[in-house]
Structure formats: structure tokens, C-alpha cells
Amino acid sequence: MRGVASVLIAASLGGAAWAGVSILTPPDRAQAGSARLIAHAAPLPAELSEVVAAPETDADRRARLNARLKTMLDEGKGARLTDAPPRPPPPARARVRRARAKAEPAATFAPPAHDAASARPTVRRAGGYVPPTLDLKTPPRVPQNDLECLTQAVYYEARNESEEGQAAVAEVVINRSRHRAYPKSICEVVYQRNSRTCQFTFTCDGSIGRRPVSAVAWARAERIAREVHEGRSSSQLPKNSVNYHANYVRPSWGRRLARVRQIGAHIFYGAPLNGSTPGAYEREAAPAPARLLFVRNEALDRAYAVLAGQASNGASETPDTAAQ
């Protein structure tokens, strides 16, 4: 133990002596020693020497960057400095329309012609809703083919909806034609109206002919209408679904029906909860029987008087056989 303690004491004394020598060393001698150490060290690169010598400014960095770019250009590495090639432009709308048109079969029925003169102006309210202006006095031009009427209903009621939503609109029309409370013909269902309103608004608010018809959307509407009409489309709604409305309107009859589902912007309903089904067929009252109209005429009165006088004279000249 004494030996270990002696060694520790000696080491402490030696360290204190070395620190004292360093502290007592003059500044000039310390700088000379540092210079000797730097002289023996490995030489620094030129760039680092410049940095150590003076701090780099923004002008220095720009100059260095320009020098590197010039060197890369001289070495033929300029391709690395160019931007990525631009993305090809999206196809023109005309090409998109042609591609979609090729996917749809050609339409069988010609769409309604555009008639700007007959289109009635619309009045917009807050929220973007356009209240329809109904014309119930002008007789509509009803097509002669049920499939064409069904195509019109699909196009004008749901052309911006998905194919599922368009098929659901077609199903509502067909369900009405099979319901005892509605007309039996599809065209009569589509163009059904009374003195207050029309069942499908596009048939009396000027939608037909207001704008040119999109050929692609019309062909798609006819294809979907044909598939639903021929039973080749999967059913979207129950058989008792005969009513729907857009989600931006709140009809009073919506509370009286069982809500089935919503497809896109259309809400479809089923059986009535209480009361009758809205839009049911209202048969026109039978015309009153014709009544005989009697008009007195002076000539007829005189002829009747003559005939009556002759009859009375003949009766007075007849013998009374019963008295004999």
C-alpha cells in the first residue's frame, strides 16, 4: 500500500510541475511552439486554405459555383444540368370525345334538335337551384316509341349521373308503367301531366331543345334504357319504387314514403307509409252527357198551330158510334 501511495503522490507532483511550466512559458515561446506543430502537419487543400484564411462571402460562393458549372460544360456533362423532359400534354377534348364515342354503340333514335328560340329563360336563386318554369298549356311532342321515351327520361333526368344512377331512373319509369295507379304505356308515364304539374319536369320546363344534345351521352342513355327495358340490367330498386327526387329539393311527399336508397344526386323511395302514392294517375272526368237544346221558332209555332187546328176539326166531324 505504501508503494502505491508513493507512486500516486509522485504522479501528482509531476503533473503540477508540468502545469506550472506551461503557465510560466512566455507567450512568444508558446506561439513559436504552435507554429512548429503547424509546420509539421500535412498541408491543407487550396479551397480549405482559403476558407481558413478568410470567411467565404456570397460572391465567392457564386463564383465557385459558376466555375464548377463551366468545368462541367467543358467536360461535356451539360445534360445533367438540363431539366426533366416536360410531360406530354393531355389529349385534346376532341380526342377524348372520339374515344368515348367508339366505346358506345351508335344511337338508334335521333336526339331532339336544338331550338334556341323555344327555350325559356331560367331564374337562378341562392344555392344554384333553378326553379322550373312549367308550361302546361303547350301540347308536348310525344314520341311514338316507348324506348325513345325511356331514353329521353334517362338523358334529361340523369345524364350526369353514373350508369347505376341512370339505370335506376329507367327502372322507376318501368315500375310506373307496371303499377295499377299509373298509365300503362312508358311514353304516357314519361309525359304524364295534369292541370298542376308534369311528372317528369323535363317534359314541360323547356329542357328539350334548350341546349344541343351530347351525342355520346345520348348513345349511353339509349344503351342503358335498352338494357333495363329488355331486362339485361341488374335491378337497382325494388318493384314498388316509383318516386325519386334530386337531393337539392325537399318535396312534401318525401315524408310519406319509405326511403330506399340514394344513388348520386337522386333519392329513391318505395312503398307509401301513409296515404296514397304521389303522382298517381289522375283520370280525367268523363264529359257530361249532351243535353237537348230547345229553341222556339216562329215558323214552327205557326205550323204547329195549323196542325193542331186540323186535328181538332177532324175530331168534331167524326160520328159518335158509341152513342148509336
Side-chain angles (χ1 to χ4, degrees):
M1 293 293 296
R2 292 180 180 178
V4 173
S6 301
V7 171
L8 292 175
I9 293 172
S12 301
L13 293 175
W18 174 261
V21 172
S22 301
I23 293 172
L24 295 176
T25 303
D28 54 348
R29 295 183 60 185
Q31 292 179 358
S34 300
R36 285 194 300 272
L37 290 176
I38 294 175
H40 288 290
L44 295 175
E47 297 179 356
L48 294 180
S49 300
E50 294 177 359
V51 172
V52 172
E56 189 178 26
T57 62
D58 293 339
D60 297 336
R61 282 192 289 269
R62 283 195 297 271
R64 182 161 49 85
L65 177 61
N66 291 333
R68 291 182 58 187
L69 294 177
K70 185 177 183 305
T71 303
M72 292 180 66
L73 291 174
D74 295 340
E75 295 176 356
K77 300 178 181 179
R80 294 175 54 186
L81 304 177
T82 59
D83 296 333
R87 295 183 180 179
R93 293 184 178 181
R95 275 184 267 170
V96 173
R97 288 195 296 267
R98 286 196 296 268
R100 291 178 179 175
K102 291 180 181 179
E104 294 292 344
T108 305
F109 306 103
H114 174 50
D115 186 8
S118 63
R120 293 183 296 276
T122 56
V123 180
R124 293 188 174 273
R125 293 180 181 173
Y129 174 62
V130 181
T133 303
L134 306 182
D135 180 11
L136 302 175
K137 297 181 179 180
T138 305
R141 299 177 183 176
V142 182
Q144 301 299 320
N145 190 295
D146 282 346
L147 186 57
E148 184 176 357
C149 293
L150 190 60
T151 301
Q152 287 186 0
V154 172
Y155 177 84
Y156 286 104
E157 291 285 312
R159 65 180 176 273
N160 295 325
E161 297 294 319
S162 63
E163 293 195 7
E164 185 182 23
Q166 295 183 34
V169 170
E171 287 184 21
V172 168
V173 175
I174 294 179
N175 289 346
R176 285 195 172 197
S177 67
R178 296 171 180 173
H179 197 284
R180 58 182 178 83
Y182 293 90
K184 301 304 179 184
S185 168
I186 290 179
C187 283
E188 291 179 356
V189 167
V190 173
Y191 282 87
Q192 180 188 355
R193 62 171 60 183
N194 51 34
S195 60
R196 302 183 307 274
T197 184
C198 52
Q199 293 302 307
F200 292 87
T201 312
F202 77 92
T203 63
C204 63
D205 69 347
S207 294
I208 299 178
R210 178 179 297 163
R211 299 183 181 88
V213 174
S214 169
V216 177
W218 178 263
R220 183 182 301 112
E222 181 180 335
R223 173 178 60 81
I224 295 173
R226 190 182 299 275
E227 292 175 354
V228 175
H229 186 263
E230 296 176 357
R232 295 186 287 110
S233 176
S234 57
S235 178
Q236 311 293 334
L237 305 171
K239 300 300 180 183
N240 60 358
S241 180
V242 292
N243 289 280
Y244 70 90
H245 65 78
N247 58 1
Y248 51 81
V249 297
R250 297 291 183 270
S252 58
W253 51 261
R255 297 187 297 269
R256 306 198 309 266
L257 300 177
R259 181 169 173 173
V260 174
R261 62 179 301 191
Q262 179 173 352
I263 304 177
H266 288 146
I267 302 173
F268 296 87
Y269 294 85
L273 300 175
N274 51 10
S276 61
T277 301
Y281 185 48
E282 297 180 1
R283 299 184 181 275
E284 296 182 358
R291 297 181 180 180
L292 294 177
L293 181 63
F294 294 93
V295 179
R296 296 196 63 175
N297 187 283
E298 186 177 354
L300 292 177
D301 290 343
R302 288 198 302 268
Y304 178 76
V306 172
L307 293 175
Q310 291 178 356
S312 61
N313 293 335
S316 60
E317 296 176 353
T318 303
D320 191 359
T321 56
Q324 293 180 349

